[in-house]
Amino acid sequence: MKIALCDDDEKELSNIRSLLDSYQKTHNIPFTYQEYHSSCELALRASKERFDIYLLDILMPHMTGMQLAREIRTFDHAADIIFLTTSSDFAVESYTVKATNYLMKPVSSNAFFAAMDDILRVKTQEQGHFLVLKAGLAYIKFPCPN
């Protein structure tokens, strides 16, 4: 499993990095994560490389996390998106990009672990039951009969 983490604040990146490392140790779940300091940097990378989960700050210069999520959804409908933000202003809008969760900063380990548990529970249930195909730049997930 591959995770993209995007925040323009180094302190916040460090906090989420610590949460990811702690989650990985306590749950013994293998994954890798890639850090991005700007939404534009991640937007360029995400169009070429598939991630299973995106952890996105919303309030960033040049391109907000919400704009980045809209861009991601143009080519990847299967990935989970978790917004990590100091503002509740975009919570309702997060439904328009099919966000999996919306966590307020500072993100607690309990909230983060619960969000990750929800994602992994669904991914485990879906394992072997869906087919993900790449069509051009888009990824499409098809349910498979049992």
Side-chain angles (χ1 to χ4, degrees), residues 3 5 15-24 27 31 53 55 82 84 101 103 107-119:
I3 300 171
L5 165 58
N15 181 43
I16 301 305
R17 187 182 321 119
S18 294
L19 288 171
L20 282 167
D21 291 341
S22 179
Y23 186 84
Q24 190 168 35
H27 290 74
F31 59 77
I53 301 172
L55 304 174
I82 298 176
L84 312 168
N101 216 314
L103 303 177
V107 178
S108 72
S109 60
N110 288 340
F112 184 77
F113 283 20
M116 291 295 289
D117 286 346
D118 288 344
I119 289 171

Side-chain angles (χ1 to χ4, degrees), residues 6-8 36-44 54-73 81-85 87 89-90 93-94 96-97 102 105:
C6 186
D7 200 307
D8 61 324
Y36 297 91
H37 297 105
S38 80
S39 49
C40 296
E41 179 186 11
L42 177 52
L44 287 172
Y54 292 89
L55 304 174
L56 307 177
D57 181 22
I58 290 183
L59 302 175
M60 292 186 284
H62 308 296
M63 176 189 282
T64 67
M66 192 62 67
Q67 291 167 322
L68 174 58
R70 280 197 185 85
E71 177 68 22
I72 290 167
R73 286 297 184 229
I81 296 173
I82 298 176
F83 287 112
L84 312 168
T85 185
S87 173
D89 294 344
F90 302 92
E93 189 178 353
S94 72
T96 65
V97 293
Y102 194 97
K105 292 178 183 176

